[in-house]
Amino acid sequence: MNKKRVWISAGIILNSQQDQVFITRRPETAHKGGFWEFAGGKVELGETAEQAVIRELNEEVGIVATELEHFIELEHDYPEKALKFDFFLIKAFDGEAYGREGQPGQWVALEALREFTFPEANYPVIDKLLAR
């Protein structure tokens, strides 16, 4: 059986010194519930990945991304779903990041990212982030 690949756009929200990143925790009821993530969501029909990440970050964490850079594209297959990701570095934004949908969110030092449990698809992103 072929699973439809879902296109996800996510933002790696960096502080102004680029030594911390804002992460949020997935709701317990969601796929990979309780895991930490970089905020983002599905790319809607007619949207680019960049438009989607700007929209999603506003909806989820209350910021408007003003400076972003495409960082990594990857595909990851879970037993229950197939995903395609575009991750963007968010280097500047308006507003203050917080869990706008009631989800926990926090600023974390880049070198502390490995102390948090992320969905498996995020580990190549974290590896590349720590290598920059």
Side-chain angles (χ1 to χ4, degrees), residues 11-14 18 20-23 38 71-72 87-90 108-111 113-114 118 122-132:
I12 301 162
I13 305 165
L14 298 167
Q18 295 194 13
Q20 290 187 327
V21 63
F22 189 78
I23 60 174
F38 302 106
F71 185 62
I72 189 173
F87 285 91
F88 291 85
L89 292 177
I90 309 302
V108 174
L110 288 175
E111 60 272 10
L113 280 173
R114 295 193 196 281
F118 284 81
N122 285 217
Y123 287 107
V125 180
I126 293 169
D127 290 344
K128 183 175 178 185
L129 196 55
L130 295 176
R132 34 184 299 264

Side-chain angles (χ1 to χ4, degrees), residues 41-121:
K42 288 182 190 157
V43 178
E44 302 293 343
L45 192 63
E47 267 185 329
T48 65
E50 187 172 302
Q51 290 167 331
V53 77
I54 291 169
R55 175 184 53 76
E56 286 284 349
L57 293 180
N58 187 26
E59 291 171 5
E60 286 187 22
V61 296
I63 64 168
V64 176
T66 57
E67 187 184 334
L68 51 153
E69 172 189 313
H70 192 266
F71 185 62
I72 189 173
E73 177 183 325
L74 58 95
E75 292 184 351
H76 189 88
D77 294 343
Y78 291 102
E80 61 283 359
K81 56 173 56 182
L83 302 173
K84 173 190 177 198
F85 290 94
D86 277 288
F87 285 91
F88 291 85
L89 292 177
I90 309 302
K91 295 181 169 181
F93 56 89
D94 293 331
E96 195 62 46
Y98 71 102
R100 190 171 183 181
E101 298 173 328
Q103 75 279 34
Q106 67 187 71
W107 288 99
V108 174
L110 288 175
E111 60 272 10
L113 280 173
R114 295 193 196 281
E115 298 168 21
F116 293 82
T117 305
F118 284 81
E120 293 85 341

